[in-house]
Amino acid sequence: MYEYELQQLRTADLIRRADHERLVREAARARRAARGEAAQNSAEHESHSRGFRRTRSARAA
């Protein structure tokens, strides 16, 4: 009986750990998505467009 109870405790602990790790992964994924969305919507991102860059050439000697 004692071994059965220990196994039940281990199982419950593993389930709790798996749920916690899943929540941590989901939170990290949500933060990354929010950062990416904020970067796309920022005014700074729009102000640095590639169409207005000057081409650099080597200096003449």
Side-chain angles (χ1 to χ4, degrees):
M1 188 71 178
Y2 181 72
E3 291 177 11
Y4 176 76
E5 290 174 2
L6 280 178
Q7 183 60 35
Q8 294 292 22
L9 288 174
R10 287 185 196 124
T11 302
D13 185 44
L14 287 174
I15 291 171
R16 275 193 300 272
R17 286 184 187 186
D19 287 340
H20 180 261
E21 290 176 10
R22 192 176 304 114
L23 284 173
V24 168
R25 283 194 307 269
E26 288 175 4
R29 192 175 301 129
R31 281 194 304 267
R32 277 194 304 270
R35 272 196 314 252
E37 187 175 320
Q40 288 177 351
N41 294 335
S42 72
E44 181 181 346
H45 177 71
E46 294 172 2
S47 66
H48 294 291
S49 62
R50 292 185 178 199
F52 298 108
R53 286 189 182 180
R54 295 188 334 192
T55 58
R56 295 184 183 209
S57 58
R59 296 181 91 182

